[in-house]
Amino acid sequence: PADNFTATQGGDCEDADANVNPGAAEVCNGKDDDCDGLVNEPGTTGCQTFYKDQDQDGYGLAGATKCLCTPEGLYTATKDGDCDDTIALVNPGSREKCGTASDDDCDGSTDEEGADGCKTLYQDADADGWGTQATRCLCVAVAPWIANKPGDCNDADKAVNPGATEACNGRDDDCDGATDEENATACKTYYLDSDADTWGL
């Protein structure tokens, strides 16, 4: 054949580029390499996985992907793990917040310990309203983490706490570090008896 009429197949869309023809693989280069009328279509060699990200928060749905040369439509996220793709504030990069009724950080738990807005609660096993020094920051009180104030010195006895009245019973009822101190309930009046004759002033 003369004058370059050597091909036995037609369909070349760019006869000045030997890398472009119907038998070539499409590559992410902005050209129609395989002459199918499309440029950089999904699945092109060198493509990247993009996740569908409806709320455009940077995190997509794990089960909705396209392999693209560049982001396209809603397929813009390069990270998956979004558990609610309709709320931009809900994604694995967010912090959990108390009271939102949603799993803000997509970890499978709602209003977990340490969430933004949590309240410091003290361990109160005897439910007397006074806790020990052990704390947890929770959105909602959960037994035994139910006390708003610490200071209980015996969390197994409801009658012993900083709000109790000291009584003559051999224990530190009011958790002040002293036992049966002066003026405790049921105390007896004693007189000064310097000469030990059993009679006082």
Side-chain angles (χ1 to χ4, degrees):
D3 299 326
N4 294 327
F5 284 86
T6 56
T8 58
Q9 303 175 87
D12 200 336
C13 56
E14 179 52 75
D15 204 32
D17 188 336
N19 294 317
V20 176
N21 58 70
E26 188 72 17
V27 180
C28 288
N29 58 9
K31 296 192 296 187
D32 181 11
D33 302 282
D34 57 4
C35 295
D36 63 355
L38 302 172
V39 176
N40 292 352
E41 59 262 37
T44 292
T45 300
C47 64
Q48 178 181 355
T49 298
F50 286 92
Y51 300 90
K52 186 177 182 181
D53 184 11
Q54 182 176 324
D55 57 16
Q56 294 296 291
D57 60 3
Y59 290 85
L61 300 171
T65 65
K66 283 186 180 181
C67 196
L68 305 169
C69 295
T70 57
E72 176 182 295
L74 293 177
Y75 290 84
T76 58
T78 57
K79 296 174 283 192
D80 67 347
D82 204 332
C83 54
D84 189 337
D85 204 31
T86 64
I87 303 175
L89 293 177
V90 173
N91 60 65
S94 292
R95 281 189 52 79
E96 189 70 20
K97 300 169 190 67
C98 291
T100 61
S102 59
D103 180 10
D104 303 291
D105 56 5
C106 294
D107 67 350
S109 301
T110 302
D111 289 352
E112 59 260 34
E113 182 177 358
D116 288 349
C118 65
K119 183 178 180 181
T120 298
L121 295 168
Y122 299 87
Q123 180 176 298
D124 184 11
D126 57 14
D128 61 1
W130 295 85
T132 65
Q133 296 300 320
T135 66
R136 284 191 180 177
C137 196
L138 304 173
C139 295
V140 179
V142 178
W145 311 95
I146 57 176
N148 294 317
K149 48 193 181 246
D152 202 333
C153 55
N154 186 348
D155 203 31
D157 190 335
K158 193 169 188 173
V160 176
N161 59 67
T165 301
E166 186 70 18
C168 291
N169 56 12
R171 67 183 184 188
D172 181 11
D173 302 282
D174 58 4
C175 295
D176 66 353
T179 301
D180 294 349
E181 57 262 46
E182 186 176 356
N183 294 320
T185 299
C187 66
K188 295 179 181 179
T189 300
Y190 287 87
Y191 299 89
L192 179 62
D193 183 12
S194 299
D195 59 7
D197 62 359
T198 70
W199 293 87
L201 295 174

